[in-house]
Amino acid sequence: MREDRRRRYDDGFRREALELIKSGAGKDTLASRLAIPVYTARNWIRLYRSNGEEAVMGGGGSRRYDWETKVAYLKAKVAYLEKLRALRASKSRGASEAPSSDCSQGGDTGSATS
């Protein structure tokens, strides 16, 4: 069986990281003060900003969503994609239906001849 080589951080360590994040430390500062990889610092900051303290304290990153949450997410995703598709179609129709700049239709030609 393959060994899990990821470093595990205890709750005290994560609390210390949270205090630094709350005080406004960026990824580079967090990484250097705690001697952790920059990508870990960046991920913890992102987790904190999006989901709060529990996300950082939870660690592991393996979230389990119930069926209803998954279905709701997929429905929202489909609605968003359909909206984009309709917008794209309306833009392409608008471009093909745009009036031509034919001067024979009595429009202003922009010339200044008298």
Side-chain angles (χ1 to χ4, degrees):
M1 189 171 188
R2 189 170 171 201
E3 177 185 350
D4 186 5
R5 300 187 70 161
R6 291 178 295 180
R7 183 172 169 190
R8 301 288 179 188
Y9 302 101
D10 65 1
D11 288 347
F13 189 83
R14 288 175 185 264
R15 278 191 207 95
E16 186 179 345
L18 276 170
E19 291 306 315
L20 288 169
I21 293 169
K22 288 178 188 178
S23 69
K27 64 179 174 23
D28 295 322
T29 303
L30 188 64
S32 65
R33 287 199 184 165
L34 298 177
I36 60 174
V38 173
Y39 64 85
T40 300
R42 183 188 65 232
N43 288 339
W44 285 359
I45 292 169
R46 189 177 337 142
L47 281 171
Y48 175 72
R49 287 178 180 165
S50 62
N51 299 320
E53 292 183 25
E54 294 85 24
V56 177
M57 292 303 293
S62 60
R63 295 185 186 111
R64 304 238 182 231
Y65 297 104
D66 60 3
W67 179 256
E68 290 80 18
T69 303
K70 292 176 183 179
V71 170
Y73 169 78
L74 291 175
K75 283 182 179 180
K77 185 86 165 182
V78 167
Y80 173 75
L81 291 173
E82 287 174 353
K83 191 175 184 180
L84 280 178
R85 187 177 301 129
L87 180 63
R88 209 176 263 165
S90 70
K91 282 186 176 182
S92 66
R93 270 191 311 245
S96 64
E97 296 173 0
S100 65
S101 60
D102 188 8
C103 297
S104 65
Q105 295 183 4
D108 184 18
T109 60
S111 64
T113 58
S114 331

